[in-house]
């Protein structure tokens, strides 16, 4: 039986796209030296991602409905970083909505050359082979609190293991202040850019 198997020719039909949710059928066809044919069929199911899943080295906190979304790094990048450039207005760093954090971070890096600030830490981060991390916008930070933090809106608990202090967003309030959020109770407020806060980088997928 082993010899016949080794002499058989096997062909495979069907493919599986691991990046697309769905059910896939794979058919294996084996033909031995005498022309005898046998087939076997296997079904492979690719499940979708969910909020709170650990994906590409971080915790998903937002899904866009088209296969993409945002996830947070699994731990803090700093426990005492300033937002930076107190007294300087940063053009373009005022985006608040979901999807604006990356542009905010880019604009902060252009307008504030101080090393080691919250945005700079995220922009220069390489984690789990990825280097396109950024500081979340005001609304992105709030989703982190709600969905994978102490807000517990979805009943998942603090899966992101956030501290109960304040985290910086990438959204500037004015030349002296930027938006922060306390993860102990969810309050968002403007805070002096020179104050030290926690930093959690995020990434889009």
């Amino acid at each position: 039986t082993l010899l016949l198997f080794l002499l058989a020719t096997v062909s495979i039909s069907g493919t599986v796209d691991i990046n697309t949710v769905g059910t896939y059928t794979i058919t294996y066809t084996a033909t031995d030296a005498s022309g005898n044919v046998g087939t076997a069929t296997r079904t492979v199911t690719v499940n979708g991602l969910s909020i709170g899943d650990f994906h590409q080295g971080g915790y998903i906190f937002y899904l866009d409905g088209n296969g993409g979304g945002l996830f947070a790094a699994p731990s803090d990048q700093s426990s005492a970083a300033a937002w930076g450039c107190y007294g300087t207005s940063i053009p373009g760093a005022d985006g608040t909505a979901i999807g604006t954090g990356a542009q905010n971070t880019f604009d902060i890096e252009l307008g504030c050359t101080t090393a080691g600030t919250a945005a700079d830490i995220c922009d220069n981060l390489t984690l789990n082979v990825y280097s396109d991390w950024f500081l979340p916008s005001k609304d992105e930070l709030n989703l982190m609190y709600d969905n994978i933090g102490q807000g517990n809106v979805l009943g998942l608990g603090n899966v992101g293991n956030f501290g109960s202090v304040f985290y910086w967003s990438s959204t500037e309030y004015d030349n002296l202040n930027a938006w922060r959020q306390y993860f102990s109770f969810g309050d968002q407020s403007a805070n002096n850019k020179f104050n030290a806060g926690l930093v959690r980088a995020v990434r889009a997928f």
Side-chain angles (χ1 to χ4, degrees), residues 36-109:
N36 299 306
V37 178
T39 62
T41 300
R42 297 290 182 268
T43 299
V44 177
T45 300
V46 178
N47 295 316
L49 297 170
S50 299
I51 302 296
D53 284 352
F54 193 75
H55 178 63
Q56 295 183 2
Y59 292 101
I60 297 174
F61 65 91
Y62 169 73
L63 293 169
D64 64 10
N66 296 308
L70 298 169
F71 63 85
S75 60
D76 296 335
Q77 278 59 65
S78 176
S79 61
W83 198 91
C85 290
Y86 180 81
T88 301
S89 181
I90 308 297
D94 56 354
T96 61
I98 305 300
T100 60
Q103 185 63 50
N104 285 347
T105 302
F106 177 79
D107 290 330
I108 294 167
E109 287 291 85

Side-chain angles (χ1 to χ4, degrees), residues 84-90 172-177 193:
C85 290
Y86 180 81
T88 301
S89 181
I90 308 297
E172 185 180 60
Y173 182 83
D174 58 23
N175 65 320
L176 304 177
N177 303 278
K193 292 178 178 180

